[in-house]
Amino acid sequence: MSSSEHNVTAMVIPSEDQHMSEYIAACDERRAYISGFNGSAGTVIVTLKDAFLFTDGRYFLQAEKQLDSNWTLMKSGLPDVPTWQEFLSKNLEKHSRIGIDPTLITAADAESLETSLKAKESHLVSLTDNLVDFIWEDRPPRPANKVFPLDVKYSGESHQDKLKRLREELNKKPYKAMVVNMLDEVAWLFNLRGSDIDFNPVFFAYAVVTHDNSLLFVNTSQVDDVVRTHLGDPVQIKPYDEFFPYLRGLGGEVDLSDELQVLVGDKCNLAIVEAIGRERITILRSPIADFKAIKNETEIEGFRQCHIRDGAALTRYFAWLEEQLNSGTQLNESQAADKLEEFRSELDLFRGLSFTTISSTGPNGAVIHYSPDPADCSIIQKEQIYLCDSGAQFLDGTTDVTRTWHFGNPTDEEKRAFTRVLQGHIAIDTAIFPNGTTGYIIDSWARRPLWEDGLDYRHGTGHGVGHFLNVHEGPQGIGVRIAYNSTALKSGMTVSNEPGYYADGRFGIRIENIVIVRDAQTPNNFGNKGYLKFEHVTLSPIHKKLIDASLLTAAERSWLDAYHAEVLDKVSPLLKNDTRALAWLERECSPL
Amino acid sequence: MSSSEHNVTAMVIPSEDQHMSEYIAACDERRAYISGFNGSAGTVIVTLKDAFLFTDGRYFLQAEKQLDSNWTLMKSGLPDVPTWQEFLSKNLEKHSRIGIDPTLITAADAESLETSLKAKESHLVSLTDNLVDFIWEDRPPRPANKVFPLDVKYSGESHQDKLKRLREELNKKPYKAMVVNMLDEVAWLFNLRGSDIDFNPVFFAYAVVTHDNSLLFVNTSQVDDVVRTHLGDPVQIKPYDEFFPYLRGLGGEVDLSDELQVLVGDKCNLAIVEAIGRERITILRSPIADFKAIKNETEIEGFRQCHIRDGAALTRYFAWLEEQLNSGTQLNESQAADKLEEFRSELDLFRGLSFTTISSTGPNGAVIHYSPDPADCSIIQKEQIYLCDSGAQFLDGTTDVTRTWHFGNPTDEEKRAFTRVLQGHIAIDTAIFPNGTTGYIIDSWARRPLWEDGLDYRHGTGHGVGHFLNVHEGPQGIGVRIAYNSTALKSGMTVSNEPGYYADGRFGIRIENIVIVRDAQTPNNFGNKGYLKFEHVTLSPIHKKLIDASLLTAAERSWLDAYHAEVLDKVSPLLKNDTRALAWLERECSPL
């Protein structure tokens, strides 16, 4: 079937959106099939004559290798290279009809794209079937792994109570219904987990909540009686494929004669909006995202506990790695990462990694999103900085930790930069701020010590972290993105604290803990706002050998010693059977 | 003449806009005449039946005293009290025609008001003559004081060069002309000063700059041959009253057949826009405001020099005040302020105060905009905190300085709060940050030490400062107003550094220096952005008696001692004839 039968003159598979794991997977596999390029980010545009792949600097070399002569590589970020959105509105002919799979683009992105296409009187055309799927005969089936309940002893709140809270929220406006399309929101709402997407314990599903009904649309083969019993009668399980037909008939279920009565989250896809009708819909930041961002006391205690276990695995790994390098063993970055996974996999409640381990030696550490290719990666060098960013999923929480080591003799430059990063890390860890303060406001606290030396880093300072869910979640964060200025940090939120410094082609430094926002007891309470602080839950020593102690204030020095005493106290009981790890931990946790 | 002859059903005199000194004066005097209320802020709305005065909490008592029974006081800020804009659009009858003097409202404010009036199908009606002026028979003439040139040895750049820079800026778009209506921009552009408005060395004028002509519209009685010679032939001096007729004929002077060819600053009044025609106009932040914000090396050196002299007057005053209080003299706040003015008036190049001196004892210090009423103010108490915020105009610069003293025995609470404010002050003074950073981003550095104790302050941390111009000027600033996030701090900008703390009904603390943004020499230059720092120019000791030294870091202690050594070094040579002041300065500047 050719695209002309759909009466479109171009087709687009848009690029990833980091907040939409289900889209990424769906876009990635189709992009890889049609173009041959299997990097993690890129947009495909196919016209009647030509084919274009847009990707960024991380993937120029890889794309050049993988694309054949049918394809033109568009190097995003280079001067004079348009974004794919600009390309559609500027480079295509007038009156283009651009085919798109409406489940693979957010309604908001489609709306702004439509606006920019007006200049050339072009239009987006929603295709009921994805054009790639028409020609992809041996397409592997989508993962359909077993869904399982998360016990309330881990989630801390029954799904009945969560549904009640959500309905109370809907009543405020009031809305007649809410459509939930983010996979982590569905999983959180029903206290269910799955494994359809690597690293993210979610499953393909949609949900609709009205005042009388809760509907979960899921491939019924993934759901067994345990799940049905867990959900109980008030939750109706419907086949996944009935979701869009249900939305089209929603007006028959609830009275939608007034406008704007259906709430959908701001990441909802275009297909949902088209199925219900734009005029019936209010698009807002999902209230479930806001609920989910604030962890309850059970989840917080789970975060604490899983980080103690995680700290034990990290200790065993770093002690092992040091010994290997000291004994001259040749280890590549991927082999090392595998060993770390092995240690983690022995931990209680372990359910897989939370992202691909970044195990990087020397210059690879300066590539912020580096992950070692098992078939082609570097040997870890004792005389280079080693940066390891890793994490795991546990039933009681999610971890994400970065430590930076030098197993030989670090240079003064490396030590000074590491110390500046550490000072930024401590500045966030010890922060106290009034309710209402956003992560945008305090981001500069992490950068100040680096700026003093004319250093900086080109990424955020912290992202939200899911509870046995996606390791990156919104809406809060600490960073220079103005979006972080719309969400105040609130007691119970989780966020990473990960300043860094990267010397291109030489080394990378990052120190990352997960912290939880908690109420602070201050001597005063000016403005009756209440004040907040952070509690760190990550427990792994910070490499003293990389510290230039002369730069530290007395308070910073005390912070480090206290942190190390805490790490030793909490983690050492789990290391009874690993004397190497215990000895290593005692050494690394001794006072500076 | 009644308002019905203008076919209007209501009339408004809008409230102050702190950026528009000429509007404030013009609004204030008419508001005072028509209502009897002479506070510095308030909006008057007169309908065919009623009369309303809107003012804020600072003036409730005063307004209640001054308004007669014809008037209804609208207490702005109280629950259920609408803003005057809401009142016009919600409380007035449908189809109201609301008379306004278009020279007394910005085009932007008028535009947003028109939008909100649509709900009631009401409209603003620009009146060619102010209705108050019709009935105000013995209205005193507007000030028309002599205008004088500011020598290039103080301004650092000839007005010819400034006009050339402005034309280059206009050419970039290109625009055909720029209309300048801010008094300080006119004064800066032509290197002229005046004294038509208290504390601000400006004069009533407008200017128009085209590629061929520079026109200055000014009451010609204010301009003598010295000014004419200074300006030279290329600048045409026109009578002030010819400004609006000239604008209405502008299309005959320059080709305005294309749209948007006339640039006006974003604070321009509605009358200008109506005279030229909205479709011909582009409203942007004035490029002159951006030029003016960055001081040249001559202006910077002037700032340094005038602050040394100002420091000498402050020293003489504080030493005198201490002696008076120690000897039991009864002095009220206003008498003390007069003595400070007397010391300042003896200084070289002095041209008056830059704002009303805030001389406040105890609880009055917690009223952030307090100024003592000479007829009714407090006696300064030795056992209360004394806060003094003051400044002066000099030919070579403008000063604005706050110091907080305790001439008796401060409490632990006072010392701790003062020390937190000092730590915030030092955090800004020692800041280093990359080019591109705004005052919004670093504001939290000043608050962090206060937040640690659960303290805060409800004002900005810093405002721009004019060079022998308005003591408050934009567009830069340090603070929580999101507008400060649109202007990066740039080398050559001036800004105040004034964190504070206010215990309502008890005391106020503020420590304010003027700092200049300068290039920083950092060991690295990550991202090739260039890094910036602050240079303080204010020279007056910070009260050691109010410091709890146990809270200071070693670096903060060193900063204080170095600052005091600098103050003593620079100011003491000017105190040869005042042994009391010199002895006091030596004591106050000794190491902590």
Side-chain angles (χ1 to χ4, degrees):
Chain A
M1 182 173 285
S2 80
S3 59
S4 62
E5 292 178 43
H6 282 88
N7 198 20
V8 298
T9 51
M11 182 203 77
V12 58
I13 306 178
S15 71
E16 65 164 328
D17 178 316
Q18 62 168 326
H19 294 292
M20 307 178 71
S21 48
E22 69 276 32
Y23 292 15
I24 297 173
C27 294
D28 280 3
E29 60 175 10
R30 290 175 174 110
R31 182 175 60 238
Y33 173 74
I34 194 83
S35 72
F37 166 72
N38 66 1
S40 75
T43 289
V44 155
I45 294 176
V46 180
T47 70
L48 295 181
K49 288 186 222 144
D50 302 300
F52 303 87
L53 175 85
F54 293 72
T55 190
D56 63 65
R58 292 175 291 170
Y59 293 113
F60 291 166
L61 286 177
Q62 180 179 338
E64 278 166 6
K65 273 188 213 165
Q66 294 181 328
L67 297 176
D68 69 17
S69 62
N70 291 303
W71 288 85
T72 303
L73 172 60
M74 303 294 284
K75 295 182 172 178
S76 302
L78 293 197
D80 304 325
V81 175
T83 65
W84 65 267
Q85 292 93 339
E86 288 166 353
F87 183 88
L88 288 175
S89 60
K90 289 183 183 161
N91 297 51
L92 291 197
E93 286 174 25
K94 259 197 161 187
H95 304 291
S96 289
R97 290 172 51 84
I98 298 150
I100 196 156
D101 180 340
T103 66
L104 299 187
I105 187 167
T106 66
D109 287 347
E111 222 161 277
S112 71
L113 198 50
E114 270 292 354
T115 306
S116 65
L117 290 175
K118 274 184 191 160
K120 286 266 183 101
E121 295 169 55
S122 296
H123 290 287
L124 284 184
V125 177
S126 290
L127 305 175
T128 39
D129 299 287
N130 192 296
L131 294 190
V132 173
D133 300 352
F134 271 107
I135 58 168
W136 191 355
E137 287 176 2
D138 54 346
R139 186 183 168 205
R142 192 159 64 176
N145 300 319
K146 276 280 176 245
V147 172
F148 59 96
L150 183 67
D151 198 286
V152 74
K153 78 179 172 190
Y154 300 120
S155 70
E157 184 180 15
S158 70
H159 67 279
Q160 290 91 344
D161 286 347
K162 290 178 177 178
L163 284 164
K164 188 162 165 251
R165 272 209 284 159
L166 178 60
R167 289 196 171 103
E168 283 164 8
E169 188 65 28
L170 297 181
N171 265 331
K172 282 184 192 163
K173 172 71 185 179
Y175 296 106
K176 295 279 175 59
M178 174 165 181
V179 179
V180 190
N181 76 308
M182 296 301 286
L183 301 192
D184 60 340
E185 294 184 17
V186 174
W188 179 87
L189 185 62
F190 293 104
N191 286 336
L192 293 174
R193 296 294 188 270
S195 57
D196 289 349
I197 293 181
D198 286 347
F199 309 117
N200 301 328
V202 296
F203 53 98
F204 290 106
Y206 287 106
V208 178
V209 177
T210 69
H211 290 289
D212 302 318
N213 291 308
S214 310
L215 298 99
L216 175 64
F217 295 87
V218 60
N219 183 333
T220 47
S221 76
Q222 296 180 249
V223 177
D224 62 15
D225 282 349
V226 177
V227 170
R228 290 179 189 276
T229 307
H230 160 81
L231 289 176
D233 284 341
V235 178
Q236 298 173 45
I237 297 172
K238 299 272 187 187
Y240 187 81
D241 294 339
E242 287 183 17
F243 174 64
F244 286 106
Y246 175 84
L247 289 190
R248 284 188 284 270
L250 188 59
E253 305 277 328
V254 288
D255 174 13
L256 296 180
S257 47
D258 288 341
E259 292 200 337
L260 311 174
Q261 294 281 289
V262 181
L263 180 63
V264 299
D266 55 5
K267 308 277 185 233
C268 83
N269 65 42
L270 178 60
I272 291 172
V273 173
E274 290 181 338
I276 301 174
R278 184 67 186 90
E279 74 288 354
R280 289 170 166 177
I281 279 183
T282 297
I283 300 181
L284 281 182
R285 194 166 85 192
S286 163
I288 300 176
D290 287 327
F291 289 161
K292 181 166 58 64
I294 295 177
K295 274 61 183 174
N296 60 45
E297 290 304 319
T298 304
E299 291 172 316
I300 289 171
E301 184 57 25
F303 264 101
R304 291 189 190 109
Q305 292 303 322
C306 74
H307 276 85
I308 295 173
R309 297 195 300 279
D310 206 55
L314 288 165
T315 303
R316 299 186 66 192
Y317 169 63
F318 292 132
W320 170 85
L321 181 60
E322 183 185 84
E323 192 177 89
Q324 297 295 309
L325 295 175
N326 280 342
S327 67
T329 310
Q330 294 275 301
L331 264 180
N332 74 29
E333 298 163 326
S334 174
Q335 290 165 331
D338 289 346
K339 188 71 182 180
L340 174 53
E341 182 167 2
E342 184 190 316
F343 284 125
R344 277 202 167 103
S345 68
E346 295 170 13
L347 298 174
D348 279 353
L349 310 184
F350 175 80
R351 286 297 180 277
L353 300 187
S354 57
F355 58 98
T356 309
T357 297
I358 298 175
S359 165
S360 53
T361 184
N364 294 339
V367 180
I368 293 170
H369 292 105
Y370 180 80
S371 69
D373 179 350
D376 178 19
C377 64
S378 302
I379 302 293
I380 299 174
Q381 302 295 326
K382 190 177 164 182
E383 285 302 332
Q384 287 183 338
I385 280 188
Y386 174 70
L387 184 156
C388 181
D389 186 352
S390 67
Q393 296 286 1
F394 300 92
L395 289 178
D396 53 352
T398 301
T399 69
D400 180 358
V401 47
T402 309
R403 287 296 183 269
T404 305
W405 304 94
H406 200 299
F407 300 103
N409 296 298
T411 65
D412 287 348
E413 180 196 7
E414 289 166 337
K415 288 167 72 172
R416 191 172 176 104
F418 182 91
T419 308
R420 291 311 194 190
V421 172
L422 172 61
Q423 290 177 299
H425 181 94
I426 296 172
I428 296 296
D429 191 272
T430 56
I432 294 179
F433 47 89
N435 266 303
T437 305
T438 68
Y440 185 82
I441 292 294
I442 65 169
D443 174 76
S444 62
W445 293 358
R447 294 178 200 270
R448 180 175 173 131
L450 287 152
W451 287 353
E452 258 183 72
D453 278 1
L455 304 179
D456 202 352
Y457 50 98
R458 292 197 184 94
H459 60 71
T461 300
H463 56 80
V465 183
H467 176 266
F468 186 32
L469 275 176
N470 302 352
V471 72
H472 285 203
E473 72 170 25
Q476 79 278 15
I478 303 174
V480 297
R481 288 169 53 185
I482 192 72
Y484 290 143
N485 212 22
S486 347
T487 305
L489 295 169
K490 295 191 189 75
S491 186
M493 283 182 169
T494 45
V495 73
S496 67
N497 170 14
E498 50 178 314
Y501 171 67
Y502 309 92
D504 277 354
R506 299 191 293 135
F507 60 86
I509 292 166
R510 188 161 62 249
I511 303 173
E512 178 186 23
N513 281 357
I514 304 303
V515 296
I516 302 175
V517 185
R518 305 299 282 160
D519 291 323
Q521 299 307 317
T522 47
N524 307 280
N525 184 15
F526 181 81
N528 280 317
K529 290 176 179 178
Y531 286 73
L532 300 169
K533 65 176 179 181
F534 293 124
E535 172 192 341
H536 50 245
V537 289
T538 305
L539 296 164
S540 181
I542 293 166
H543 200 27
K544 285 176 293 182
K545 198 203 279 181
L546 275 166
I547 294 174
D548 176 351
S550 73
L551 293 172
L552 298 181
T553 66
E556 287 164 342
R557 221 182 150 104
S558 301
W559 180 92
L560 189 80
D561 287 345
Y563 178 70
H564 279 151
E566 181 188 358
V567 172
L568 184 64
D569 178 55
K570 292 185 174 164
V571 174
S572 59
L574 280 70
L575 296 172
K576 285 181 202 127
N577 302 320
D578 189 337
T579 50
R580 173 181 61 205
L582 189 56
W584 180 90
L585 190 66
E586 283 168 350
R587 189 194 74 208
E588 290 295 327
C589 289
S590 67
L592 186 63
Chain B
M1 181 174 282
S2 81
S3 59
S4 62
E5 292 178 46
H6 282 87
N7 197 22
V8 299
T9 51
M11 183 203 74
V12 58
I13 306 178
S15 70
E16 65 163 328
D17 177 317
Q18 62 168 327
H19 293 292
M20 308 176 72
S21 48
E22 70 275 32
Y23 292 16
I24 297 173
C27 295
D28 280 2
E29 59 175 10
R30 289 175 174 111
R31 182 175 60 237
Y33 173 75
I34 194 85
S35 71
F37 167 71
N38 66 2
S40 75
T43 289
V44 155
I45 294 176
V46 180
T47 69
L48 295 181
K49 288 188 221 143
D50 302 300
F52 303 88
L53 175 85
F54 294 72
T55 190
D56 63 64
R58 291 175 292 170
Y59 294 113
F60 291 165
L61 287 177
Q62 180 180 338
E64 278 167 5
K65 273 188 213 162
Q66 294 180 326
L67 296 176
D68 69 18
S69 61
N70 291 303
W71 288 84
T72 303
L73 173 61
M74 304 294 284
K75 295 183 173 178
S76 302
L78 293 196
D80 303 325
V81 175
T83 65
W84 64 267
Q85 293 93 338
E86 287 167 353
F87 183 87
L88 289 176
S89 60
K90 290 184 181 160
N91 296 50
L92 290 197
E93 285 175 25
K94 260 195 161 188
H95 304 290
S96 288
R97 291 171 50 84
I98 299 150
I100 195 157
D101 180 341
T103 65
L104 299 187
I105 187 167
T106 66
D109 288 347
E111 222 162 272
S112 73
L113 199 50
E114 271 290 355
T115 305
S116 66
L117 291 176
K118 274 183 189 159
K120 285 270 182 95
E121 295 167 56
S122 296
H123 289 285
L124 283 186
V125 177
S126 289
L127 305 175
T128 40
D129 299 286
N130 192 297
L131 294 189
V132 173
D133 301 351
F134 272 107
I135 57 169
W136 192 355
E137 285 174 7
D138 54 347
R139 188 183 168 205
R142 193 158 66 174
N145 300 319
K146 277 281 175 240
V147 173
F148 59 96
L150 183 66
D151 198 285
V152 74
K153 79 179 174 192
Y154 300 120
S155 70
E157 184 180 15
S158 70
H159 67 278
Q160 290 91 344
D161 286 348
K162 290 179 177 178
L163 285 164
K164 188 160 163 255
R165 273 210 284 159
L166 178 59
R167 289 196 172 105
E168 283 164 9
E169 188 65 27
L170 297 182
N171 266 330
K172 282 185 192 163
K173 173 73 184 180
Y175 296 107
K176 296 279 174 57
M178 173 164 182
V179 178
V180 190
N181 76 306
M182 296 300 287
L183 301 192
D184 59 341
E185 294 184 16
V186 173
W188 178 88
L189 186 61
F190 293 103
N191 286 335
L192 293 174
R193 296 295 188 269
S195 57
D196 289 349
I197 293 180
D198 286 347
F199 308 116
N200 300 328
V202 296
F203 53 97
F204 289 108
Y206 287 106
V208 177
V209 177
T210 69
H211 291 288
D212 302 319
N213 292 308
S214 310
L215 299 98
L216 176 65
F217 294 87
V218 60
N219 184 335
T220 47
S221 76
Q222 296 181 249
V223 176
D224 62 14
D225 282 350
V226 177
V227 169
R228 290 179 190 276
T229 307
H230 161 80
L231 290 176
D233 284 341
V235 177
Q236 300 174 43
I237 297 173
K238 299 271 187 186
Y240 187 82
D241 293 340
E242 287 183 18
F243 174 63
F244 285 105
Y246 174 85
L247 289 189
R248 283 189 285 270
L250 187 59
E253 305 276 331
V254 290
D255 174 14
L256 296 180
S257 46
D258 287 342
E259 291 199 337
L260 311 173
Q261 294 281 292
V262 182
L263 180 63
V264 299
D266 56 5
K267 308 277 185 233
C268 81
N269 64 42
L270 178 61
I272 291 173
V273 172
E274 290 182 339
I276 302 175
R278 184 68 185 87
E279 73 289 353
R280 291 170 165 178
I281 279 182
T282 297
I283 300 181
L284 281 182
R285 195 166 83 190
S286 164
I288 300 177
D290 287 325
F291 289 160
K292 181 165 57 64
I294 296 177
K295 274 61 183 174
N296 60 45
E297 290 304 318
T298 303
E299 290 172 317
I300 288 171
E301 184 56 26
F303 264 102
R304 292 191 189 108
Q305 292 303 322
C306 73
H307 276 85
I308 296 174
R309 296 194 300 278
D310 205 56
L314 288 165
T315 303
R316 298 185 67 192
Y317 168 62
F318 292 132
W320 169 85
L321 180 61
E322 183 186 86
E323 193 178 87
Q324 298 295 310
L325 295 175
N326 280 341
S327 68
T329 310
Q330 295 276 305
L331 264 180
N332 74 26
E333 298 162 324
S334 174
Q335 290 165 333
D338 289 346
K339 188 72 181 178
L340 174 55
E341 182 168 3
E342 182 189 318
F343 284 125
R344 277 202 166 104
S345 67
E346 295 170 15
L347 298 173
D348 279 352
L349 312 183
F350 176 79
R351 286 296 180 278
L353 300 186
S354 58
F355 58 97
T356 308
T357 297
I358 298 176
S359 165
S360 53
T361 184
N364 294 339
V367 180
I368 293 170
H369 292 106
Y370 181 78
S371 69
D373 179 350
D376 178 19
C377 64
S378 302
I379 301 294
I380 299 174
Q381 302 295 326
K382 190 178 163 183
E383 285 302 332
Q384 287 183 338
I385 281 188
Y386 173 70
L387 184 154
C388 182
D389 186 352
S390 67
Q393 297 285 2
F394 300 92
L395 289 179
D396 53 351
T398 301
T399 69
D400 181 359
V401 46
T402 310
R403 286 298 182 269
T404 305
W405 303 94
H406 199 298
F407 299 101
N409 295 298
T411 65
D412 287 347
E413 180 197 7
E414 288 167 336
K415 288 168 71 172
R416 190 170 177 104
F418 183 90
T419 308
R420 291 310 194 189
V421 172
L422 172 60
Q423 290 177 299
H425 181 93
I426 295 173
I428 296 297
D429 191 89
T430 57
I432 294 180
F433 47 89
N435 267 301
T437 305
T438 68
Y440 185 82
I441 292 295
I442 65 168
D443 175 75
S444 61
W445 293 0
R447 295 179 200 270
R448 182 178 172 129
L450 287 152
W451 287 353
E452 255 182 77
D453 278 1
L455 305 179
D456 203 351
Y457 50 98
R458 292 197 185 95
H459 59 71
T461 300
H463 56 79
V465 183
H467 176 267
F468 186 31
L469 275 175
N470 302 352
V471 71
H472 285 205
E473 72 170 24
Q476 79 277 13
I478 303 174
V480 298
R481 287 168 55 185
I482 192 71
Y484 289 143
N485 213 23
S486 346
T487 305
L489 296 169
K490 293 191 190 74
S491 186
M493 283 181 168
T494 45
V495 71
S496 67
N497 170 13
E498 49 178 314
Y501 171 67
Y502 309 92
D504 277 355
R506 299 190 295 134
F507 61 87
I509 291 166
R510 188 161 62 249
I511 303 173
E512 177 186 26
N513 281 357
I514 304 302
V515 296
I516 302 175
V517 185
R518 305 299 281 159
D519 291 322
Q521 299 307 318
T522 47
N524 307 280
N525 184 15
F526 181 81
N528 281 315
K529 289 177 180 179
Y531 286 73
L532 299 169
K533 65 176 179 181
F534 293 124
E535 172 191 340
H536 51 245
V537 289
T538 305
L539 296 164
S540 181
I542 293 167
H543 200 26
K544 285 176 294 181
K545 197 202 280 181
L546 275 166
I547 294 175
D548 176 350
S550 73
L551 294 173
L552 298 183
T553 66
E556 287 164 342
R557 220 182 151 104
S558 301
W559 181 91
L560 190 79
D561 287 346
Y563 177 71
H564 279 150
E566 181 188 357
V567 172
L568 184 63
D569 178 54
K570 292 184 173 165
V571 175
S572 58
L574 280 70
L575 298 171
K576 285 180 202 131
N577 302 320
D578 188 335
T579 50
R580 174 181 60 205
L582 188 58
W584 180 90
L585 189 66
E586 282 166 352
R587 189 194 75 208
E588 290 295 325
C589 289
S590 67
L592 187 64

